[in-house]
Amino acid sequence: MITARPIELLSPAKDLVCGLEAVKHGADAVYIGAPKFSARSAAGNSIDDIAELCDFAHIYNVRVYVALNTILKDDELKEAETIINQIYNAGADALIIQDMGITRLDIPPIQLHASTQTDNRTVEQIKFLHETGFSKIVLARELSINDIEHIHAQVPAAELEAFIHGALCVCYSGQCYLSSSITGRSANRGECAQCCRLPYTLEDADGKTIIADKHLLSLKDLNLSDDLEALMNAGVSSFKIEGRLKDVSYVKNVTAYYRKKLDRIFEKNTAFYRSSVGKSSYSFDPQPEKSFNRGFTTYFAHGRGMEITSFDTPKSLGEPIGTVREIKGNTFIISSLNAIHNGDGLAFFNPRGELEGFRVNRVDGNRIFPHTIPLSLRAKAFIYRNLDKEFENLLAKPSAERKIWTDWELDENNNGFTLTVTDETDARVMIVRELNKELAKTPQNELIRVQLAKLGNTPFEAGNVNISFSRNYFIPSSILSELRREAIDKLLKLRKIRYKRKMVKRKVFENSIPYPIRNLDYTANIYNAEAQRFYEQRGATVTQFAFEKEPLENATLMFTKHCLKFTMGICPHLQSKKSPYKEPMYLINNGNRFRLAFDCKNCLMKIEKINC
């Protein structure tokens, strides 16, 4: 007998407001940054805010995961230990970590999730993390659906989490040292300067310019909305939306979009079901292209393809809407099926290949009156909308509510009346009220139903409201309101009592399961003595410490599956065109010169810092 598997939609939260809205808009889980030591140092949150988010989320069986996923210095371990205990006491369900030293600290029995920054791309790594005690493993974004299916077949008990939407790191997560090398801001310490979004010039070994001033390491944004069911069948249980630095309108829009997509799948495929309760309703039609995006790609989900890069700009394109048909004075006419609104932000690529934006001042049919028309705008230019003013106005208002289904039963008893309320999870409360039974002169049942169903801003909605009286009794509206409020309060308390966090005994992590790699260099990101002991206990030898601790002069700074040779059509294995360029090739930006090395056996491009 095949058991149906719960599926989780995991949404990001920059702060408490984003977290609350993620829950309202349909998330099954929310991930939010710890007060310190999260991989987005600009998105830390107080313990009080985390506690408030947990209290709200748990009403709907929505889980809260806290990211504490940087590598830690020795003198930071004690503070991290204190913060983790506070996070646990706040009610969080799991901790997302990168630093294995955390497993050796004196921490509570909170579940640990292996961050994607632990470089989870092989069967051996996933198996090790699962057997070591990690409750969930966040997969590398570069894996194909077939890769994931293979991993799941080899480690079927491991709970797998995969990114499905949002910004892509061009490097394997946890394996990027470019920012640290150029700026001193470490990605593994939550301070990435996003050097991959800068413009670079590509030269060959003779100094010949191949490509000039393009964003050669910048990728489009991920969108796997058409692959959700395939990913479920491959073994993914948690679908993660990137965006702990994104604003609340992004969280609302993208969460709602994937919630609706998943619910449609569950309606026809009973092998899967959602992992939380409560149905969200929306005052807008979710459209991910209206939120920040650099254009969309499925990345390597279906193998290597040509549509992954965003060389022209690292900025948001938004939605493609049409072409300039005619320019006249300070106005132009656009050929578009989309309605343009006053205040919209539009953009186009100018003749120099740069993305240029402007604001719409007024619209008259298809004639656009910009605040100032760009001098470089030409007929036939393709127009994008990266700010839909009316759509953003909708999202700026309360745009969703989430309700848990309840059935209500009002019965008479010997001394009065009994109100029973049962929610969709079979949580049940009963209120017994002694009251003189007074007969009514007019029919009362419908009036009673209406009064009991007034659930307002509570997390509940009334489904069936049954009145089981032997006679036509009158109950004052004030009494009915008291019964309703008391039942809701009692049901909320019961739901909190019934909510159970999944715990992990700390001794689980005291095992000595062999680590699959024997000699660990700087790419293992070992920054503290406890992390070192973790690996040595499992038979590995630490030959180098983290790049951030002991910088190397000529280290490989980036390991990426994105390959410039393939993009240029000169891959010696997958394409027939012969390269006209002498190697090695170099990337150059602002006085920094990086050598490219192509590991064709592993289909990998490496970026190496060299001394100029």
Side-chain angles (χ1 to χ4, degrees), residues 13 117 460 482:
Q117 286 179 256
F460 306 102
E482 288 177 11

Side-chain angles (χ1 to χ4, degrees), residues 174-181 188 522-523 525 547-548 556-557:
Q175 302 292 287
C176 186
Y177 311 96
L178 193 61
S179 175
S180 185
S181 175
N188 284 316
Y522 70 99
T523 61
N525 301 322
F547 183 89
E548 292 80 0
T556 298
L557 300 179

Side-chain angles (χ1 to χ4, degrees), residues 488-555:
I488 291 300
D489 288 345
K490 198 169 182 179
L491 185 57
L492 278 171
K493 290 176 182 176
L494 177 60
R495 288 199 60 78
K496 291 181 179 180
I497 293 170
R498 281 166 56 100
Y499 183 84
K500 301 297 181 185
R501 285 189 287 178
K502 297 177 182 178
M503 304 299 180
V504 174
K505 295 180 180 178
R506 295 271 54 85
K507 67 179 182 180
V508 168
F509 290 93
E510 296 173 5
N511 59 68
S512 298
I513 295 165
Y515 192 63
I517 301 173
R518 297 289 86 187
N519 295 305
L520 300 179
D521 62 13
Y522 70 99
T523 61
N525 301 322
I526 298 168
Y527 207 159
N528 59 71
E530 292 300 336
Q532 181 180 1
R533 293 186 186 103
F534 172 91
Y535 289 106
E536 289 178 343
Q537 176 187 338
R538 290 158 175 83
T541 300
V542 178
T543 61
Q544 293 175 327
F545 288 99
F547 183 89
E548 292 80 0
K549 186 173 186 177
E550 297 179 355
L552 302 172
E553 285 189 4
N554 294 312

Side-chain angles (χ1 to χ4, degrees), residues 444-465:
Q444 294 293 299
N445 282 12
E446 188 57 33
L447 295 174
I448 292 172
R449 285 192 187 93
V450 170
Q451 190 67 27
L452 291 178
K454 290 180 178 179
L455 302 185
N457 292 326
T458 73
F460 306 102
E461 66 175 340
N464 301 311
V465 182

Side-chain angles (χ1 to χ4, degrees), residues 410 417 435-436 438 440 444 448 469 473-480 483:
L410 185 62
F417 301 95
L435 194 69
N436 291 328
E438 180 183 347
Q444 294 293 299
I448 292 172
F469 292 168
Y473 293 118
F474 169 76
I475 303 177
S477 293
S478 60
I479 299 297
L480 290 171
L483 286 170

Side-chain angles (χ1 to χ4, degrees), residues 404-463:
I404 299 170
W405 182 271
T406 53
D407 286 328
W408 296 63
E409 184 84 29
L410 185 62
D411 300 289
E412 60 179 296
N413 59 46
N414 292 335
N415 300 310
F417 301 95
T418 301
L419 177 63
T420 304
V421 183
T422 307
D423 75 14
E424 62 184 83
T425 68
D426 289 329
R428 178 175 295 140
V429 297
M430 185 179 294
I431 309 296
V432 178
R433 177 65 61 93
E434 290 188 10
L435 194 69
N436 291 328
K437 297 177 181 176
E438 180 183 347
L439 292 177
K441 297 178 181 178
T442 58
Q444 294 293 299
N445 282 12
E446 188 57 33
L447 295 174
I448 292 172
R449 285 192 187 93
V450 170
Q451 190 67 27
L452 291 178
K454 290 180 178 179
L455 302 185
N457 292 326
T458 73
F460 306 102
E461 66 175 340

